[in-house]
Amino acid sequence: MTSATPTTSRAPLLPPNSGELITILNIDGGGIRGVIPGVILEYLESQLQALDGPNARLADYFDVISGTSTGGLIAIMLTAPDENKDPLYAAEDIVPFYLNNCPKIFPQFGGPFAGFIKLLKTLVGPKYNGKYLKTLVTGLLGTTKLSQTLTNVVIPSFDIKTMQPVIFSSFQVAREPSIDAQLSDICIGTSAAPTYLPAHYFLNGEREFNLIDGGVAANNPSLVAIGEVTRQVLKEDPNFPAINPLDYTRYLLISIGTGTQKQTPKFNAKDAAKWGVLGWLVNQGSAPLIDAFTQASADLVVMRNNVVFEALNSVDNYLRIQDDALTGDLASVDVATKENLDGLVKVGVGLLDSPVTRVNTDTGEVEEVPDGGTNREALKSLAKRLSDERKLRESNYPKGIRA
């Protein structure tokens, strides 16, 4: 965190006023598909360790880590302090965490009546009771609060009572202390996907929260994170350089998706025209209504980021990694079988060696970047830039001002 007194035993990332870049890492929502960014982040952290030693962690290089739903869980895993004030999890621990715990968070129904049982459970309540997830994150995070993360985090959720997005942002804690909630409550709230997991109620001081999945507001919260940074710049936060908020040459954004099946569609208007409430909520093993609004919000953010970084001559400062061609159970958020989870690991590995892509701002289509290399090569290059930025800040620190 960019505070007056270091709160960790690690050498914290110095504030961006002593460097050239404002660094942002973003992870989308997507349930069990969090395995995919887990693979990507493990590789990125390994490249940082190759440059700066085995103790390097992602929280040491990013001014902000944002995430929604499963991405919010990953963001907190990477930034919550353990008893030694080190990150609770290294990036290499994310995939094993998912492989071990997803089958218990999303227990599968077997036998000839499995489909009927799933349908019945969806009709009378959420498909899963969420008890294992609640016990898991509460046990891991205890009473640790938002203000204690090792770097700034931005995690959206949605309050079903006020019908307003709730942004759990490190930057807002000083202005709005009620946001300084326990990380366990934030994890459960941002992950409470309608029809899948129950909504989450808790009190923080005198403020009550009635939360559902952050994907309702921003399944790809990178734009929310940029907005939080922009607000700090506009408020002349001394931790940030006095720059034009639209100077995107000073922003470095790595945004990692959890995969979609846009290139392998399974619904069409002819079928959807016949659906009632049930058809929109349960269809071919997914919830088309939920999938539609989460994917729509994520895609609009991707398009906007591409337009802005391109218009401001900063395309090299933005990397989006996403697989748009998932099929079958790989595209689900809750089919937590060993076979499917192992398949998601393979998707992540394959994505590393896939070409860098970018949305064509004229057509909206995802296209390979000419001479862009692979995602693996792009991440290796960005790891070098992140390492250089950290070293630059350390060398310039006497000139910087920490608020």
Side-chain angles (χ1 to χ4, degrees):
M1 301 288 287
T2 52
S3 57
T5 304
T7 58
T8 78
S9 58
R10 305 177 67 81
L13 178 63
L14 295 170
N17 69 334
S18 53
E20 293 182 348
L21 298 170
I22 300 171
T23 55
I24 303 169
L25 172 64
N26 175 76
I27 310 112
D28 287 10
I32 62 168
R33 300 199 309 266
V35 169
I36 296 173
V39 173
I40 306 299
L41 293 172
E42 179 179 356
Y43 177 75
L44 176 58
E45 191 169 87
S46 74
Q47 295 307 297
L48 293 167
Q49 291 170 344
L51 293 166
D52 297 333
N55 293 326
R57 298 289 182 269
L58 292 174
D60 301 333
Y61 296 86
F62 288 97
D63 297 303
V64 191
I65 300 180
S66 57
T68 292
S69 193
T70 198
L73 176 60
I74 293 173
I76 288 174
M77 291 170 67
L78 296 173
T79 61
D82 65 12
E83 64 276 7
N84 297 316
K85 304 300 182 182
D86 291 322
L88 189 62
Y89 284 85
E92 67 180 359
D93 300 323
I94 294 173
V95 169
F97 176 91
Y98 273 75
L99 298 183
N100 291 333
N101 291 294
C102 281
K104 300 170 187 175
I105 298 171
F106 303 110
Q108 302 299 292
F109 305 99
F113 301 105
F116 176 76
I117 294 172
K118 290 180 181 179
L119 174 60
L120 183 61
K121 287 184 71 68
T122 303
L123 287 174
V124 300
K127 192 185 295 189
Y128 309 100
N129 61 31
K131 291 181 180 179
Y132 182 84
L133 176 62
K134 184 175 183 178
T135 300
L136 176 66
V137 298
T138 302
L140 288 172
L141 298 167
T143 59
T144 306
K145 291 196 168 188
L146 176 62
S147 58
Q148 295 173 271
T149 55
L150 299 177
T151 191
N152 300 294
V153 298
V154 174
I155 300 175
S157 189
F158 189 86
D159 195 302
I160 196 66
K161 184 174 182 179
T162 64
M163 297 302 289
Q164 297 257 345
V166 178
I167 309 300
F168 291 98
S169 167
S170 302
F171 299 113
Q172 294 188 27
V173 168
R175 296 189 297 271
E176 193 174 350
S178 65
I179 290 293
D180 192 21
Q182 292 185 8
L183 294 178
S184 57
D185 283 319
I186 296 173
C187 278
I188 299 166
T190 192
S191 302
T195 76
Y196 292 99
L197 291 166
H200 183 52
Y201 171 85
F202 67 94
L203 280 170
N204 190 39
E206 297 183 357
R207 180 173 176 179
E208 68 173 19
F209 294 87
N210 298 268
L211 302 182
I212 61 173
D213 195 290
V216 174
N219 202 53
N220 173 348
S222 60
L223 190 56
V224 180
I226 291 173
E228 289 294 294
V229 169
T230 300
R231 185 194 325 221
Q232 297 307 113
V233 173
L234 288 171
K235 288 182 175 292
E236 299 181 349
D237 182 340
N239 284 309
F240 288 83
I243 61 173
N244 182 331
L246 294 180
D247 184 1
Y248 273 56
T249 63
R250 303 294 292 274
Y251 292 76
L252 177 63
L253 170 62
I254 300 175
S255 181
I256 305 175
T258 56
T260 74
Q261 57 179 10
K262 288 192 299 183
Q263 293 181 17
T264 53
K266 62 180 180 179
F267 304 121
N268 57 57
K270 184 178 179 179
D271 294 333
K274 305 171 186 177
W275 295 344
V277 172
L278 184 59
W280 280 102
L281 292 179
V282 184
N283 207 306
Q284 298 185 43
S286 65
L289 182 63
I290 309 301
D291 294 346
F293 66 65
T294 55
Q295 192 57 52
S297 69
D299 284 352
L300 286 172
V301 170
V302 171
M303 177 65 79
R304 186 268 179 192
N305 282 340
N306 275 273
V307 169
V308 173
F309 277 94
E310 183 177 303
L312 299 175
N313 299 312
S314 305
V315 290
D316 291 338
N317 285 14
Y318 173 47
L319 176 65
R320 172 71 174 172
I321 300 179
Q322 174 72 307
D323 188 323
D324 290 322
L326 298 183
T327 58
D329 288 344
L330 291 173
S332 77
V333 298
D334 67 327
V335 179
T337 62
K338 183 180 187 303
E339 179 184 11
N340 200 42
L341 291 169
D342 289 344
L344 290 170
V345 173
K346 293 178 182 177
V347 170
V349 173
L351 195 53
L352 279 172
D353 292 314
S354 297
V356 172
T357 60
R358 188 173 298 138
V359 171
N360 184 313
T361 54
D362 292 323
T363 67
E365 297 295 322
V366 176
E367 301 174 349
E368 292 184 16
V369 176
D371 302 318
T374 65
N375 290 315
R376 186 185 299 273
E377 292 166 339
L379 286 168
K380 184 174 182 178
S381 176
L382 288 172
K384 180 65 166 60
R385 291 184 66 187
L386 289 166
S387 175
D388 288 346
E389 172 67 15
R390 180 177 172 89
K391 292 169 184 172
L392 175 65
R393 294 186 190 186
E394 291 169 349
S395 66
N396 287 343
Y397 181 62
K399 296 183 287 184
I401 300 173
R402 177 173 290 184

